[in-house]
């Protein structure tokens, strides 16, 4: 079975631009979470979606938004990009909504903001 | 605000030795403590996890020791192998919130030398 897939793999944007990152969860998984991993740091929680509804939001500005589609795939949007948004963006999926359910991470999208 | 502190930042262990990584948390509401392993270019993968109702959990060469009163937990890797060379993250979450937000430590880069 395919794992969590993310696209694109790498992305280069300039300050002020907007970006959309995509995630396809493991088949059958209904919960998707997004994390930002700055180089040398641990992942930071951005959003969690379950059954197309937002169930958790981390300490990120309103420039960050996300949604989940009926097929449980998800998009993360970041507007008005700043240099500090440069990071690896990770998507994780799990079967149900509960912290003790194993979250399977994708390989991430490396975003560079120039 | 860093709620999970991880040490050391980097660790070099000889093949066959014991690797020990420590984490401390502040929020006593945390009730799920997983460890993740991350290889370069990959997303984190769940290694082992523990709930606070037990003081130790062992899976193969990997053991979590948990000290609830000290608010500390650690990962022990016995008979460390070159293939264990990776970055390790401890994490914590609050299941009662009904979401899957994981709070990660800053990571430990482990290198196993022959």
């Amino acid at each position: 079975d395919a794992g969590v897939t993310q696209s694109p793999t790498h992305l280069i944007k300039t300050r002020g631009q907007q970006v959309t990152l995509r995630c396809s969860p493991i088949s059958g998984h209904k919960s998707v979470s997004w994390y930002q991993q700055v180089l040398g740091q641990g992942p930071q929680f951005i959003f969690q979606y379950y059954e197309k509804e937002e169930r958790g939001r981390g300490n990120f500005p309103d420039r960050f938004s996300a949604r989940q589609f009926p097929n449980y795939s998800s998009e993360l949007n970041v507007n008005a990009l700043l240099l500090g948004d440069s990071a690896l963006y990770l998507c994780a999926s799990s079967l149900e909504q509960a912290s003790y359910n194993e979250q399977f991470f994708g390989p991430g999208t490396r975003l560079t903001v120039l | 605000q860093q709620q999970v502190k991880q040490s050391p930042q980097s660790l070099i262990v000889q093949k066959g030795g014991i690797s020990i990584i420590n984490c401390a948390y502040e929020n006593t509401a945390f009730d799920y403590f997983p460890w993740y392993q991350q290889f370069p270019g990959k997303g984190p993968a769940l290694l082992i996890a523990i709930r606070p109702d037990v003081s130790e959990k062992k899976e193969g060469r990997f053991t979590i020791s948990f000290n609830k009163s000290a608010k500390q937990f650690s990962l022990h890797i016995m008979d460390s192998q070159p293939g264990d060379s990776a970055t390790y993250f401890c994490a914590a979450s609050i299941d009662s919130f009904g979401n899957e937000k994981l709070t990660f430590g800053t990571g430990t880069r482990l290198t196993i030398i022959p």
Side-chain angles (χ1 to χ4, degrees), chain B:
Chain B
Q1 180 185 4
Q2 183 185 356
Q3 296 190 53
V4 180
K5 295 182 179 180
Q6 184 171 347
S7 63
Q9 187 174 1
S10 63
L11 182 62
I12 299 174
V13 174
Q14 256 189 328
K15 178 181 175 182
I18 303 173
S19 303
I20 302 174
I21 304 171
N22 301 299
C23 283
Y25 61 96
E26 300 166 2
N27 191 340
T28 55
F30 285 141
D31 57 5
Y32 175 67
F33 303 89
W35 283 89
Y36 284 82
Q37 179 188 57
Q38 186 175 28
F39 292 104
K42 303 286 187 181
L46 180 65
L47 197 58
I48 186 173
I50 197 169
R51 304 293 291 269
D53 52 345
V54 296
S55 61
E56 185 175 283
K57 182 174 182 180
K58 183 176 181 180
E59 290 184 0
R61 297 185 294 110
F62 302 92
T63 300
I64 299 179
S65 296
F66 184 81
N67 186 328
K68 189 174 181 178
S69 61
K71 294 187 287 185
Q72 295 175 347
F73 58 111
S74 60
L75 175 69
H76 295 232
I77 305 175
M78 312 299 288
D79 187 26
S80 299
Q81 298 297 312
D84 297 330
S85 296
T87 299
Y88 292 80
F89 294 95
C90 61
S93 66
I94 305 171
D95 186 53
S96 58
F97 277 3
N99 64 54
E100 298 182 332
K101 174 186 175 180
L102 287 166
T103 299
F104 283 85
T106 51
T108 296
R109 179 172 288 186
L110 175 64
T111 303
I112 307 301
I113 57 176

